[in-house]
């Protein structure tokens, strides 16, 4: 079938690839329709790897996907051919110890689309377990369906924060994940977000999305602004979405006594943490690794209108211009949130 | 000072009453401006008591209040004369065992406005602890400030539910507390509410407030509708806000495995519960007694626009027509949510 | 193979039965060695059913089991032939929505040994998923291994209570589940248990197991004794293990403000609950349905010596006297906790 | 009154000091009987300060105390003269925002014995709020009563861990706090502890206290031993009680997916944390600052026998040899856990 293949670092081609997928009784076959270009796709393209994951063989890219069901396995009664769906890109072993605990995202044997050596979904069709395939409600488009994946990361962060209704949150970093976390935190019960970044276009976009205050840390003092908005008490939650060492270090200064820091962004290196500062506030620190059990929730929030991710689709490309889309994404335009590739 | 006094069952008068309040160093004196008429005020009026609380002496009514700070004690640095505020009507002993645990609402020695023999706040001014007096943000009016109290009950329910972002909730009963719980649940992270009642005007109002589906149980089957909206899985949370025995019994049929029932409404009598049904779903049941630590959160949600309680102010009366207001409230008009008494 | 078969209500026979079990790659085959006689086994025997579960075909009894691994499937690397093990008797569909959430015990499609029409394990051997088969530590005997199942119910109750270290708990009912809950609560962080029953021999046994105070409700006032032991504050947790309507009704009187009632016992009928009493304490009520993710914890507690279930094995019978064992169990001797059937 | 006064860095004297304490209606006056020498007392003595707290005026030392009630304020009905008691050394403002939330230990205005400029309790008597004074049960001695304070730190750690019954925990560091955390974790529901240190005498002591495995990191590989005891899964909880940078960094390698690290020890400097390693396990990190709401629980655990702190009283000195006691404590003998000063 036709696919977008990362042949090696720096070389993406659209070509035929031979992928044989057995269709089990609990699987569905899906025609892929919309696929978002993720930072990790770009990183594999520009660097040939992400941390311990190195591209050694040609690999199909893409893991943020929606599509139309083509065929269902004989045990599947929750989906039908023609259903618009989105798919969780990670497939765990449900018999594993982690999965039995409800932590299937932490199963070490989990495979994940477009993480070497597993092929991604930028191709004609995929076979996928029905239990990780979610029907889109009528009001959610295929483009929005392909945004469920990055939104799910923000939602996992919001879930782990254990938001108490009316919490004030800070989000450090207004990249895709920071913005998604903003929406998830507001949809998940926060009353107000203060978001920080160095890029003004991202902050300007954020300010249009709800009760969100943008702080440009090139000109403004985040700590002072948080103190001002919280009468000196501090934020209930700080979502760290930049992965930046300095930002991570500073989170505890923004926090109220008994507050929670959620580490969503992944720093490239070890980070110096002021543990005594954290202890003086008895801070709780949560960490996020992808997501589990949030796709259905993401779709409910989109369907009800509580969360609107449509402003994040900055630009779409047809499948046959996937290489161009990847190159554009690699250029890191400050006003760009998400590039999607559409296959009709 | 002038006050609205319940002389005895069935007799309310506006008259002078001699209330001497010592102003301590941690107190503030507040000119009362808006007071909502609560079902309990009406019940004291029509029945002379609520459960174990019986009116034996003339008592000033009213506990849902906002006002303007007149004077502050010498240790108070969080409020200033002229500040618009709302007040928590319960005053606990902060040295009590319950208060040390953060459960100050459960302190048995707590006194509460307009709960015999404690006078309420339908009078010229009150002296109140600064720590239970909350400054209104600029965008929150005095009328909304007086709605914080009933909204706080809904917010306490939402807090105790432990909402996971995107939860689907059912609210049984669309009276004032049911409607407040709806808003609190949506503001607190639910994606969608199904609310049930027998009175169509309440359901019609609810439907204008957000992603809320009204179910008229005189014509429709609540269980079937919940099943339909949740693909047969059940609701994540059922907020029981009617206090009706049959409604309470039926909550577990609406629930998903592992879901939560929050008992907000108080039944007059013991209620038959199908415990085996609850167990088969490992239901968690939370109960609500007023509120603690939610006033600041209520104001944040109102200020940010996440929650809008203005549609609940059905009618206002000037202070000198308080008797008329109470009588109107006692008539239980189906299209009425909240009557407020305003003192200029 | 030879099995203990409930032919119909009132008739148990040891006879050959034809059970063909496919051994899958993730399964193990186990020679059954010890099986406890559960109240449900007895109830099927004496009444022909338990609630909605009616015995319509001959059914092998038994679900509290340990044994020795005979053979392992080709994907199994956690167990080896010769390993002593115990088995969770319920097999869920791990692809189900409940299982993905970590609530596999609540999967409606779960099958459970000796619950019609599923055969139990009082037979020569069983084939079972390796992921629900647990190796016994060297210090845990096969007899104790067969007690993991009833202990798991108590442990599930202790887990759901969310014990804070040092909690004082009440256990109402000193039957097998009440006693197991006692041990689980102490092993799980309670400092002290007050246990109530009408049968003095059960209370006498309980008193030998740790810091446990027995209250004979035929002679003593449970509420008074709880008040005395807690300086009038109430118990942090009440585990209701009797299923008795009156006991369930009384739980809230024993509780501290903000405490938790865990409903472990299952009443035969609906129970009148004093909801206002529960609300005045903002009681949390948890319910228990079997268990999930506790077998490994049960074995850790037994291995470390924190929990000792050996005193609960009142009497053992060889396999060929299984009918006699069942009859003895049906007699409900007050000094009996658990009867086990041993197959050498 | 006579007191043990740190005149300045390096100089402790027993002398008369003029401390005037007003006895309020909610206070009690207590004759001090036993006081433990804490690492912070020693640090003030040897360094003249701890972090931001610098000794600028003569200060009475001591904050781990028990005593006998001499006199009670007129509102006090929970204590009587002659009662043996222990005292929480921190006094919060119960009207503060933190205190209203139940987080009174995090109130920035809290005063704490022997933290400059507040005098400690190594003196004849103290006046203290009754609500932070706890009567010792008959089976708890005054010496044990004075150990409640350091045990409370371990108990706060155990509480914040949210132990699930049967958890396996690692404690890194076998100093006083590490040992106290061991006992609290076992008493709080852990089935087994693996404790690490460089000092063999501490490990040898630990091994006598329960199901505790000592690991001497000078000779053994902690990670390997944890893997072995947990079948490669990792510990459910790691209590970091050393404050050592390397130990803190290594905690995530010891943890199971979804596990919890509790940072009890305070490092002198910022610590490099491998955040990606923490994220890959979705580790939760809790931090501890003293304690709140655990003194009563500590006493319950001691009274029931679940926790025995007596082995930690290594040596006692009479009050008139307090200087000697401080000098001995400053020598850091590896076999010493706690030195106590006794005033008859």
């Amino acid at each position: 079938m036709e696919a977008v293949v990362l042949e090696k670092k720096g070389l993406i081609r659209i070509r035929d690839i031979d992928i044989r997928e057995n269709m089990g009784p609990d699987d569905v076959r899906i025609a892929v329709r919309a696929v978002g270009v993720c930072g990790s796709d770009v990183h594999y393209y520009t660097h040939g790897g992400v941390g311990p994951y190195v591209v050694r063989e040609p690999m199909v890219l893409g893991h943020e996907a929606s599509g139309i069901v083509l065929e269902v396995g004989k045990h599947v009664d929750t989906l039908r051919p023609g259903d618009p769906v989105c798919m969780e890109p990670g497939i765990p072993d449900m018999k594993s110890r982690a999965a039995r605990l409800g932590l299937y995202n932490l199963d070490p044997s989990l495979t994940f689309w477009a993480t070497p050596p597993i092929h991604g979904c930028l191709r004609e069709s995929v076979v996928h377990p029905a239990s990780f395939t979610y029907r889109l409600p009528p009001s959610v488009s295929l483009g929005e369906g392909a945004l469920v994946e990055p939104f799910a990361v923000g939602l996992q962060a919001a879930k782990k924060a254990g938001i108490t209704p009316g919490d004030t949150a800070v989000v450090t970093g207004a990249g895709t994940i920071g913005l998604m976390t903003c929406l998830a935190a507001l949809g998940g019960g926060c009353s107000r977000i203060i978001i920080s970044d160095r890029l003004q276009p991202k902050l300007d976009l954020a300010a249009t999305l709800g009760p969100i205050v943008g702080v440009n840390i090139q000109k403004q003092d985040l700590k002072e602004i948080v103190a001002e908005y919280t009468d000196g008490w501090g934020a209930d939650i700080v979502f760290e979405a930049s992965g930046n060492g300095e930002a991570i270090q500073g989170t505890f200064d923004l926090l109220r006594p008994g507050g929670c820091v959620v580490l969503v962004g992944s720093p490239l290196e070890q980070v110096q943490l002021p543990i005594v500062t954290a202890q003086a506030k008895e801070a709780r620190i949560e960490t996020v690794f992808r997501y589990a059990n949030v796709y259905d929730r993401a779709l409910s929030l989109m369907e009800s209108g509580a969360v609107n991710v449509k402003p994040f689709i900055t630009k779409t490309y047809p499948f046959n211009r996937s290489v161009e889309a990847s190159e554009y994404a690699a250029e890191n335009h400050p006003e760009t949130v998400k590039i999607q590739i559409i296959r009709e």
Side-chain angles (χ1 to χ4, degrees), chain A:
Chain A
M1 67 174 83
E2 204 180 32
V4 177
V5 180
L6 175 63
E7 303 286 1
K8 59 178 185 181
K9 175 178 157 181
L11 177 61
I12 293 175
R13 288 199 306 185
I14 302 176
R15 66 159 165 98
D16 260 10
I17 188 164
D18 186 23
I19 299 180
R20 284 169 205 201
E21 294 175 303
N22 289 323
M23 173 93 178
D26 298 305
D27 293 328
V28 293
R29 186 182 308 274
I30 303 150
V32 176
R33 283 298 181 82
V35 180
V37 179
C38 175
S40 70
D41 295 310
V42 171
H43 210 268
Y44 284 120
Y45 173 38
T46 55
H47 291 71
V50 173
Y53 296 103
V54 178
V55 177
R56 301 184 199 284
E57 301 285 328
M59 178 182 80
V60 178
L61 290 172
H63 66 269
E64 306 177 353
S66 65
I68 302 288
V69 173
L70 294 173
E71 180 190 357
V72 307
K74 66 179 172 186
H75 292 166
V76 176
D77 55 7
T78 55
L79 292 169
R80 273 182 298 196
D83 280 348
V85 293
C86 63
M87 299 82 91
E88 266 191 86
I91 307 178
D93 174 3
M94 286 305 293
K95 297 179 303 298
S96 66
R97 192 162 178 175
R100 288 200 305 272
L101 287 161
L103 308 169
Y104 62 76
N105 56 323
L106 305 181
D107 171 23
S109 73
L110 176 141
T111 61
F112 198 90
W113 280 344
T115 300
I118 307 298
H119 283 307
C121 62
L122 263 168
R123 44 180 160 130
E124 290 176 37
S125 71
V126 293
V127 168
H128 206 66
S131 55
F132 292 106
T133 303
Y134 301 83
R135 191 172 49 244
L136 303 184
S139 63
V140 175
S141 68
L142 287 162
E144 293 169 87
L147 280 170
V148 169
E149 202 280 339
F151 178 64
V153 176
L155 199 49
Q156 181 81 348
K159 187 178 76 173
K160 298 206 88 180
I163 296 169
T164 301
D167 273 349
T168 293
V170 174
V171 175
T172 51
T176 305
I177 293 303
L179 290 169
M180 290 292 184
T181 301
C182 260
L183 290 195
L186 286 175
C190 287
S191 61
R192 187 171 48 195
I193 309 280
I194 299 165
I195 189 167
S196 67
D197 207 298
R198 292 175 183 281
L199 298 174
Q200 195 59 42
K202 302 281 194 191
L203 298 171
D204 292 344
L205 172 60
T208 67
L209 301 172
I212 300 173
V213 177
V215 175
N216 189 326
I217 55 170
Q218 291 196 300
K219 307 182 221 161
Q220 294 170 287
D221 185 323
L222 179 58
K223 188 178 165 184
E224 266 175 30
I225 290 169
V226 171
E228 192 182 299
Y229 273 90
T230 61
D231 289 328
W233 173 242
D236 298 290
I237 304 169
V238 179
F239 293 100
E240 206 302 302
S242 73
N244 176 283
E246 219 174 304
I248 295 172
Q249 271 188 317
T251 50
F252 303 108
D253 291 331
L254 311 174
L255 205 64
R256 72 158 169 94
C260 176
V261 167
V262 185
L263 299 174
V264 194
S266 292
L268 298 177
E269 299 182 353
Q270 294 213 357
V271 171
Q272 297 256 1
L273 272 203
I275 288 174
V276 170
T277 308
Q279 287 173 326
K281 292 181 173 173
E282 276 198 344
R284 173 170 56 97
I285 305 164
E286 297 279 353
T287 61
V288 168
F289 188 69
R290 295 171 180 157
Y291 35 74
N293 293 307
V294 299
Y295 261 58
D296 49 354
R297 303 176 163 283
L299 289 170
S300 293
L301 287 163
M302 289 180 185
E303 183 187 14
S304 78
V307 162
N308 177 14
V309 294
K310 284 195 285 282
F312 295 157
I313 307 178
T314 313
K315 216 167 164 156
T316 60
Y317 287 83
F319 189 79
N320 61 12
R321 290 173 56 203
S322 291
V323 178
E324 194 183 332
S326 303
E327 283 164 357
Y328 181 84
E331 289 163 15
N332 258 321
H333 296 266
E335 72 286 359
T336 297
V337 180
K338 182 57 67 183
I339 303 297
Q340 285 189 342
I341 294 166
I342 307 299
R343 189 179 166 87
E344 313 263 333

